[in-house]
Structure formats: structure tokens, C-alpha cells
Amino acid sequence: MVDLRSDTVTRPTPAMLEAMASADVGDDVYGEDPSVNALEAEAAALFGKEAAVFTPTGSMANQIGLQLLVRPGEELLADVKAHVVNFEMGAAAALGGISTRTWASPNGRLDTALIEPLINRPNPYVTVTRAIAVENTHNIGGGTVQPVEELRALRGLADAYGLGLHLDGARIWNAHAATGTPFADYGRLFDTVSVCLSKGLGAPVGSLLITDAERAARARIIRKRLGGGMRQAGFLAAAGRYALAHHVERLAEDHARARHLAGSLEPFGLCDASQVETNIVLLRHPEIAKLAAAAAEQGVRVSVLGPDWGRMLTHLDVDDAGIEHAVKVLGDLVR
């Protein structure tokens, strides 16, 4: 089975499993798990921040970050296709009391000029804007990388209005692999940063919320309130440490395979290869559900996201042979 539905389907490598099995652990709620502490320190240093907090999921890391920046009854701005708005079960409103408004974003690409008119200053009649969230790379946009120059412009805008900035960096590793932009450059531009270890990096579980020391202390309280306090979490943290050490640079291989996949399927009218920037390939077909079902019968899985479009992601569990098999199956189905 060639599973291209998501890079979340990756499984730990044998070396990662060995690192997990030999992890030194303690009770993380007491702050006594040495593997968790090491992971948090390494991630914070990578982004030039003071602290990080290990969480079981990326959604939890995102929602903690938003609650650190926006109080109940205040407003977050995000793009209309953002993960924090569409795929986190309304958590910002349900758990954080946070109101959201969105701007249009073709392919998920950031355009700071669209944001300033949306900002509400303190006023007795409107919900005050407190923060802006940006997704990099952008999932539903098709793995779009946000240009660092645009992020710098956004930072300037946020500073001018006294707003916080949150980075949903679930796939920030892919942005780094595609552009070479240092992680610390991203860290300097955002107040809170969430990163995921269980997508392209291949860890089985885990994300991090990276920020300053004061916010990290508050984040631990919110994490516990949300049910995210873990005990001997070092077995999971060990997987994350292994992923950071061994699986970041290899993401370039996934990007190359995604470009090859898209280029091979473009002649069949299934995708636009020019839009592939990282490891996500958007798939277009008028009967995508039927196409996906037929492909699955031949050992190729793709995600169906709408009536005429879907998604394929390359990852460390799909090699060159798997890509060629996917090309043959999908191509034969639409000939």
C-alpha cells in the first residue's frame, strides 16, 4: 500500500524505536522527565526562544498558543483556510472564548496588505483584535511556503498595532528544507510557535509550543487544564529528539518526490506541478471520490477533501518505487 493521504501516517523507524525504548524518563507533570526536558530545551534553542512545552497534539499546541495571546471575548485574525479555524473543532471559541475573523488567501499565501483593514482597535462597539495567526507551510494551500519577507512585514504591522503573532508551524520543517531559512529567523518573528513532530519528521506522537519563559509557565497551566499533562512522556520525547536529529534534512527527498509525482500526473490533468513547493500535491478531478476509491483498490491511497479535489503527501514511508506505482495507477485510471 502506497499511502499518500497524509504525512501523519508515517511510522517510527527501527532506530527511532530503539531510541524510545532506551529513553531516560520521569514524571513530566513534576518537570522531572529528562528526555522531555532535553527535547524542550533543544527545540527552544533551535528557534532562538527561551522555552518550549511538549504537547500530545498540534491542535493542543496551537490552542495553547492562541490562549496565551488572546483573552476570552477578544479576536484572532487568520486566513480563511487556516488549520486553527477549520480543523480544530472550534476549539478557539469553545475552549478559549476567542472570536475569529478571516481574510481570503488563494493557495494560503500570506498578503499583509489584506490584514490591516481587518484590525479592530479598542472600541465600545467592536471585538478588539489581539493577535494574528499564520500557517507555514500552508496545508490546504498545497504546502505553500510563506515568504520570510512577507512575515517580516507582518511583524512590523503587528508591532504597529500592538498585536501578538502565532505561527502554526506544523510543517515549518518543510519551509526550512525548501528555502534554507533558519528556524531562528522564524522564532524572532513570532511570539508563539507550534511545531509538529508526527508529520514529516515521523515521530508517532507529539508537538511543541515554543515561546518565552513567562508564557511557557502559563502554557503548562493551560496544558494541564486541557488534559495534556503527561507522566513518563520521555518515551515519546525520545522519538521527537531522534526526529529532530535525523529527519529534518531528509525532507528535501520528499519535496523532490512530490515534484516528480506532480510532474508525472500533470499531463493527465490531475494537478498543477508549478504549484508544488514542498511535499503536498493537490489533486483535481471531477469525480475525486470515485477516483480515490478505485486507486485504493490498486494499493494507492489519496485524501478526498471536496467534490472535485483531493491531496497527496510524500513522506519518509514512500520511496521512489511507491511514487512510480502511484503515477501508474492514477494515470491508468484517467486515461
Side-chain angles (χ1 to χ4, degrees):
M1 178 63 67
V2 180
D3 196 340
L4 296 167
R5 290 174 299 169
S6 177
D7 46 10
T8 61
V9 302
T10 55
R11 294 162 295 182
T13 63
M16 182 182 285
L17 289 171
E18 184 177 345
M20 295 171 68
S22 60
D24 189 11
V25 301
D27 191 320
D28 181 50
V29 174
Y30 288 123
E32 296 175 354
D33 190 301
S35 295
V36 172
N37 293 342
L39 171 64
E40 291 175 342
E42 290 165 5
L46 192 62
F47 284 84
K49 292 291 194 184
E50 293 178 333
V53 178
F54 186 46
T55 67
T57 71
S59 291
M60 183 180 287
N62 274 335
Q63 293 304 318
I64 293 172
L66 298 184
Q67 289 187 39
L68 291 174
L69 301 178
V70 188
R71 292 173 297 189
E74 296 178 338
E75 180 181 75
L76 171 78
L77 300 180
D79 82 88
V80 72
K81 296 180 179 179
H83 194 282
V84 296
V85 173
N86 290 279
F87 303 112
E88 298 186 8
M89 311 305 292
L95 304 179
I98 297 170
S99 179
T100 57
R101 275 190 302 136
T102 60
W103 68 85
S105 60
N107 298 323
R109 196 172 305 280
L110 176 65
D111 183 349
T112 302
L114 298 176
I115 301 172
E116 186 169 11
L118 298 178
I119 297 172
N120 284 335
R121 306 298 296 273
N123 184 301
Y125 302 102
V126 298
T127 304
V128 64
T129 304
R130 289 297 185 198
I132 303 167
V134 176
E135 191 173 329
N136 193 24
T137 65
H138 199 291
N139 179 2
I140 296 303
T144 302
V145 178
Q146 307 295 357
V148 70
E149 297 81 7
E150 196 68 27
L151 297 176
R152 292 189 182 110
L154 183 66
R155 179 75 263 178
L157 178 68
D159 289 344
Y161 284 89
L163 305 181
L165 288 186
H166 173 71
L167 173 63
D168 177 357
R171 294 184 176 89
I172 196 67
W173 324 109
N174 296 90
H176 164 77
T179 67
T181 301
F183 295 114
D185 284 9
Y186 294 119
R188 279 190 289 269
L189 295 172
F190 290 87
D191 301 294
T192 55
V193 178
S194 71
V195 300
C196 187
L197 304 169
S198 64
K199 293 185 171 68
L201 298 193
V205 174
S207 290
L208 292 145
L209 192 281
I210 305 169
T211 186
D212 59 73
E214 181 181 355
R215 287 193 178 101
R218 291 168 52 204
R220 294 185 189 281
I221 296 171
I222 300 171
R223 182 184 69 173
K224 191 69 163 62
R225 184 178 295 139
L226 295 176
M230 297 178 286
R231 302 300 179 178
Q232 288 72 38
F235 294 113
L236 302 176
R241 294 186 71 195
Y242 184 90
L244 288 179
H246 299 281
H247 289 172
V248 174
E249 298 307 321
R250 65 149 305 279
L251 290 171
E253 300 173 17
D254 296 340
H255 297 180
R257 289 183 176 121
R259 289 191 296 270
H260 177 69
L261 175 65
S264 299
L265 292 176
E266 187 173 45
F268 298 100
L270 290 173
C271 57
D272 181 352
S274 69
Q275 298 300 309
V276 176
E277 297 183 41
T278 53
N279 70 321
I280 301 178
V281 178
L282 296 183
L283 191 63
R284 298 287 181 179
H285 191 271
E287 296 184 313
I288 187 68
K290 290 182 179 179
L291 177 65
E297 291 179 358
Q298 298 185 51
V300 176
R301 290 180 175 174
V302 301
S303 284
V304 175
L305 300 176
D308 63 353
W309 70 290
R311 185 186 70 166
M312 300 176 289
L313 279 80
T314 54
H315 51 80
L316 61 84
D317 280 1
V318 177
D319 58 13
D320 291 336
I323 295 297
E324 295 304 332
H325 180 62
V327 169
K328 183 179 187 308
V329 167
L330 291 167
D332 286 348
L333 287 172
V334 297
R335 286 182 193 277

